[in-house]
Amino acid sequence: MKKRALVIAPGRGTYNKPELGYLSRHHSDKAELIAKIDDYRSAKGQTTISDLDGRDAYSIKEHTRGDNASPLIYGCAYADYLAINRDEYDIVGVTGNSMGWYIALACAGALSFDNALDLINTMGGLMQDSLIGGQLIYPFIDQDWRMQHDQKQHLLSLIEEINAREDCTLAVSIMLGGMLVYGGNQAALGALKDKLPPLDDRFPLILPNHAAFHTALQKPIAAKALQIFDADMFANPTTPLIDGRGHIWRSHATQASAIFDYTLGHQVYEYYDFTAAVQVSVKEYAPDCLIILGPGTTLGGAVAQSLIDINWEGMDSKAAFSARQKSSPYIIAMGIDEQRQLVT
């Protein structure tokens, strides 16, 4: 019997130094697919994803740029989606984090491969050209990955405090499991960083080459995108889609105009609740496993924390989750070679 799988598409920041060569390592059999992206990029005078993936060394300056990272991650993730063994897995739903929403649209059939490429490449370019604001991450979990909701409320309260300062604009960008991703202008992020105590020699973490995604600062980007694209590019998804509010777009019950408005409206300038997307998805579809598309391995923790928060299938702590992963993996990350082998 096939296993029921929920697929999760990654967002920006998932193609890092360990992922260099991801396409050549895992997708040498998909030359035609990769060539389509390369040809598209070449026609626009942009560096091909093959060139980026084939570099001798990883470059933060080059590989994290929105106009490079977005199509490169799309190529890796969509190729991974095609590599899932459909004789063993029945995909019951697709969701994604942030830019992963655009990838999810392609995987679920709401956008064609070509239209998704055009959208992802264009949005990545618009974001990079403007680079309005930035993002900062800070956690609110304990050592056992249980969410500390009092700490979360404290972190949220800082937004109003920072916004009361002159020339500061700050908002929630993404709810990412046990981490809060802020989006704001540089003055606000600087003020916020000064207020947050250092944690684990890592946080507060400002993400390089990231704009203030999913905040009102991105409304000019949405306005530009609405002048470039139209609703005709969208179709009914062939597989249910769960968006950044936890809303489900069902097969044969999705209006092109509505999903277009969400994708280039709310999704661009309102906060993205990835936690809700994961929690709604498992409650609605009760999958046997969650498959996280590559590249990268950074999304697994946020997914696990989202499950722990609702005590999903008895996973109420990091220890319980780890025990489950050892006996019968519930989260399968295609960016991890030994897990990848379970689904390809």
Side-chain angles (χ1 to χ4, degrees):
M1 181 182 295
K2 290 185 180 181
K3 290 185 177 181
R4 293 164 47 81
L6 174 79
V7 168
I8 302 174
R12 287 277 302 279
T14 53
Y15 191 105
N16 297 297
K17 187 176 180 180
E19 283 70 56
L20 193 65
Y22 193 90
L23 285 171
S24 58
R25 283 197 303 276
H26 298 302
H27 297 299
S28 58
D29 61 331
K30 297 183 181 65
E32 185 175 346
L33 177 82
I34 296 167
K36 287 186 74 172
I37 302 177
D38 284 348
D39 290 346
Y40 171 93
R41 299 268 296 174
S42 293
K44 293 182 174 296
Q46 297 175 305
T47 307
T48 67
I49 64 168
S50 294
D51 286 347
L52 291 167
D53 188 64
R55 290 282 194 260
D56 292 333
Y58 180 83
S59 165
I60 291 178
K61 182 178 180 180
E62 185 175 34
H63 285 91
T64 65
R65 289 177 55 95
D67 50 355
N68 287 338
S70 297
L72 179 56
I73 292 167
Y74 175 50
C76 294
Y78 192 80
D80 272 1
Y81 183 75
L82 296 180
I84 296 172
N85 185 344
R86 303 308 171 86
D87 293 331
E88 298 289 336
Y89 294 90
D90 181 23
I91 298 171
V92 296
V94 185
T95 189
N97 175 44
S98 190
M99 191 201 87
W101 169 249
Y102 302 142
I103 301 171
L105 288 167
C107 294
L111 283 179
S112 68
F113 174 82
D114 290 344
N115 282 338
L117 170 60
D118 195 26
L119 178 63
I120 288 167
N121 197 79
T122 301
M123 294 301 287
L126 290 174
M127 294 284 187
Q128 184 64 40
D129 290 345
S130 300
L131 213 58
I132 304 170
Q135 284 180 312
L136 182 151
I137 300 180
Y138 200 82
F140 54 93
I141 49 171
D142 63 17
Q143 292 184 336
D144 219 4
W145 282 6
R146 295 187 178 100
M147 294 189 194
Q148 305 300 293
H149 290 283
D150 287 347
Q151 171 70 351
K152 177 182 176 181
Q153 289 306 312
H154 169 67
L155 295 176
L156 290 172
S157 73
L158 294 177
I159 295 174
E160 184 176 358
E161 181 180 336
I162 297 296
N163 280 333
R165 302 187 185 190
E166 188 177 0
D167 298 326
C168 284
T169 302
L170 188 68
V172 176
S173 174
I174 305 173
M175 288 294 185
L176 191 62
M179 292 184 287
L180 178 61
V181 183
Y182 297 93
N185 62 12
Q186 297 307 320
L189 294 179
L192 177 64
K193 189 174 182 180
D194 289 342
K195 290 194 68 67
L196 294 170
L199 186 63
D200 297 334
D201 295 323
R202 184 182 177 198
F203 301 104
L205 175 64
I206 293 181
L207 298 174
N209 264 332
H210 281 224
F213 305 137
H214 314 296
T215 73
L217 290 171
Q218 299 305 312
K219 284 190 174 182
I221 303 298
K224 290 179 181 178
L226 287 169
Q227 293 176 347
I228 297 171
F229 300 106
D230 58 57
D232 291 343
M233 68 193 292
F234 287 87
N236 257 287
T238 54
T239 304
L241 275 161
I242 304 87
D243 69 21
R245 302 165 297 179
H247 174 78
I248 300 172
W249 300 87
R250 303 181 190 275
S251 305
H252 311 300
T254 294
Q255 290 185 324
S257 59
I259 197 167
F260 170 78
D261 289 344
Y262 167 75
T263 299
L264 295 180
H266 187 287
Q267 190 273 145
V268 177
Y269 51 73
E270 299 289 348
Y271 85 89
Y272 198 96
D273 197 339
F274 178 68
T275 304
V278 172
Q279 293 175 346
V280 168
S281 296
V282 296
K283 289 177 181 179
E284 181 73 14
Y285 295 105
D288 298 311
C289 64
L290 310 183
I291 300 175
I292 304 176
L293 305 176
T297 60
T298 57
L299 203 54
V303 174
Q305 292 152 18
S306 300
L307 299 176
I308 289 168
D309 187 50
I310 57 172
N311 192 15
W312 186 251
E313 294 192 357
M315 291 181 279
D316 62 353
S317 65
K318 184 178 181 180
F321 167 73
S322 297
R324 170 66 181 272
Q325 285 294 100
K326 289 179 181 178
S327 63
S328 177
Y330 188 70
I331 296 177
I332 301 172
M334 295 184 74
I336 300 174
D337 287 346
E338 55 268 30
Q339 293 185 16
R340 180 185 191 84
Q341 295 171 14
L342 299 174
V343 297
T344 56

